[in-house]
Structures are given as structure tokens and as C-alpha cells.
Amino acid sequence: MPTDAVLRELLVRHLETWLPGALHRARRATLALAYAGGDAGCAEAALRVVAGHADRLRGRQLTVLVLADGTEELPARLGAVEAELPAGVAVHLVPGGPARLPVAVKAAGAAGAPLLSVVDDDTADPAVLTAAAAGKPADVLLATAVGTPARAALADAGFPLTSEVELVTADGDPARLFAFATGSDKSLEAFKEALWAGDGASGVRYRDPAGGLLDVVEVPEAGPLCDELLAELRRSGPRTVTELRRHALTATAYRSSDAVRALTGLLDAGEATREPEHGRLGGDVVISAYGAVTAP
């Protein structure tokens, strides 16, 4: 499966969570789809999700910005789907691709209301990412070239939470880096759930930031996460379960819930200890690497 198809499916799954939440939070919201090239696949799929939530759009306003080169073909591609959209949805086609996002977001009045941006480009343009941070709240999914300093660029743009994963396909397509940034733990959790809801039979695997290749399955292999959490404990000293869950969420391809499973494995294997020694593995339980010396 090509990586652009993976991006489309990931966007659809994440929209199913983001859209109801955004419409519940505010009376208006903006979805911005900005990509290099003229493929309208993501835009078509996104509009079909919006059409499926027509009942939630009563009394609400959703602006959908579609920014791409080659927009001459987009009206025909999107016309049939637009006809199914409720009156509260406004779709704007903007030629020029991701570079036009700052102008489009400003013209749409997206600042101060929920904004989800999808940027498919081989660069991490600071101006584009800063524009994507204008929402309240603001989320962005960046699909870019492997090696792009996405995490640093997103942090500089004002996003406090970032996570990234490399997509590797079996059919020889170039690998792509997907980075998600937000200000909400809940939103990042939802993105990670969408990430792992993919079809492992498609031939896509994830390369964790630590370097390991992971099959896309509902319950991913815990071994690489066990290694990473143990390494984090040795780097940073004792950490609470809450801190280690956050580390898994932001620094690895895994979900925070996977961290509990990995920590249980480390404790059962005698590679880590906990304080208190017994009871539920709650967020305030302190985990230490076995044999680590705690400073007095």
C-alpha cells in the first residue's frame, strides 16, 4: 500500500474522533488539507467523513480548506461529495499547495477555534506549521520526507506535544515520516489509536524512533518498548508510571496504554522494581531499573 493511501486512511480514522469533539467544543471549526501535488484522495475521503456527521453539524460551521497544486481537477473530483454536505459546511479550494496555508487560515478566520491541519510536503516550513498552530485547540498531521527535523520544527511552531513514526512499505515505495503535534494528551492518544487501527495485511510497518520495525497489529510487540523504557530509566533515574506513559506516547510509536503492558513485563522479568512493591500499577507508582542506585 503506498504511503499516500496510508495517510488517507489515517486521516479518516482520526477525523471520526476529532470532528465530533471539535463540534462539541465550539460552534465553528476548520479542517485544512494542504498537500504538494494534485491528488484529491485525502480531500474526497475527508469530505465523506464530514457528510457522515451531518447531524452533528446542525447549528455549527465547518470550513474545509483544500490547498494543492493542480486544482483544476479538484472541483470535478469533489463536486459529487460537496452535494451531500449540509449547509453549515463551506469548502474552499486554494491553489498553491502548503505554502498558501498561512494566507488561507487567516482568510478563513480559523484562529481561536478548533483547527486540524494535514500537511503533506517534503519540508517542514516554519511559516506553514506556525499557521497550523493558530487554532484553539490546534492539531497538525505532517507527512514529510524521512530525515526532516519534524519534531523540532513543530515544537518551534508552538506545539507542546509531538510524536512521530516512520512508515515503511513492502512494495518499495519511499518511506515517509508522519508526525503529529497537538496541545492535548487526549488528541495525541486518539491519533495513536488511529495509527494502530490500520490493517497489518497492507504491508505497512512502522519504524519506531528507537529504530525497530513494528508490524501494524492491534496489540504490537512489547519488546522494543520494554527496551526503550528500561533505557529511559537508566538515563533519567526512577520515574513514575505516569511519566513513563507520557514518554511512550511522545517519544515512541507506541500508545501510553502499551507502556503499562511493557512495564509489567519488565517487573515480571526482574529488570525493574517498583515502589510501593504491591498493588495496582497506578500512575504514582515509581519504577526503577533493577540495580540502579538512587541518590540520597
Side-chain angles (χ1 to χ4, degrees):
M1 176 183 287
T3 53
D4 57 352
V6 178
L7 176 61
R8 182 171 62 250
E9 292 189 4
L10 181 57
L11 170 60
V12 165
R13 290 193 295 270
H14 189 66
L15 265 180
E16 292 287 358
T17 300
W18 178 84
L19 188 59
L23 297 175
H24 177 75
R25 176 189 293 267
R27 298 187 65 83
R28 63 183 178 90
T30 302
L31 171 63
L33 308 172
Y35 45 92
D39 182 11
C42 274
E44 281 185 276
L47 290 184
R48 293 193 187 281
V49 174
V50 172
H53 288 271
D55 58 328
R56 297 177 181 269
L57 282 157
R58 295 191 184 96
R60 299 289 190 271
Q61 178 183 349
L62 177 68
T63 300
V64 182
L65 305 173
V66 182
L67 301 92
D69 294 322
T71 53
E72 297 82 1
E73 299 179 0
L74 286 179
R77 293 281 301 273
L78 303 181
V81 187
E82 286 187 69
E84 304 173 9
L85 299 176
V89 180
V91 180
H92 301 285
L93 306 183
V94 182
R100 298 285 294 169
L101 187 66
V103 173
V105 164
K106 184 176 181 179
L115 169 62
L116 171 61
S117 302
V118 179
V119 179
D120 186 358
D121 198 6
D122 283 346
T123 63
D125 186 333
V128 170
L129 300 183
T130 299
K136 186 178 181 180
D139 298 340
V140 61
L141 170 57
L142 172 65
T144 189
V146 173
T148 301
R151 187 185 294 274
L154 289 163
D156 289 345
F159 289 98
L161 294 173
T162 61
S163 186
E164 59 184 28
V165 61
E166 183 180 326
L167 273 70
V168 180
T169 65
D171 57 12
D173 272 17
R176 295 282 282 169
L177 181 69
F178 282 11
F180 186 80
T182 179
S184 163
D185 284 76
K186 184 177 179 180
S187 187
L188 185 51
E189 291 276 13
F191 170 74
K192 285 295 187 71
E193 290 295 339
L195 193 69
W196 287 103
D199 181 6
S202 64
V204 174
R205 303 177 79 190
Y206 297 147
R207 189 184 303 279
D208 190 76
L213 280 173
L214 305 171
D215 292 325
V216 183
V217 292
E218 184 177 354
V219 182
E221 178 188 359
L225 182 56
C226 290
D227 294 342
E228 171 57 27
L229 293 180
L230 191 59
E232 173 65 10
L233 289 169
R234 288 171 175 159
R235 285 191 298 265
S236 304
R239 307 285 296 275
T240 66
V241 170
T242 294
E243 291 170 329
L244 293 170
R245 286 173 62 107
R246 169 64 70 86
H247 181 77
L249 184 64
T250 59
T252 79
Y254 290 87
R255 300 160 293 197
S256 65
S257 58
D258 295 318
V260 175
R261 184 163 51 92
L263 290 173
T264 299
L266 290 174
L267 292 167
D268 290 346
E271 296 186 86
T273 60
R274 53 169 286 175
E275 179 60 41
E277 293 185 12
H278 304 290
R280 187 176 65 88
L281 199 60
D284 58 349
V285 172
V286 176
I287 307 294
S288 304
Y290 181 76
V293 178
T294 303

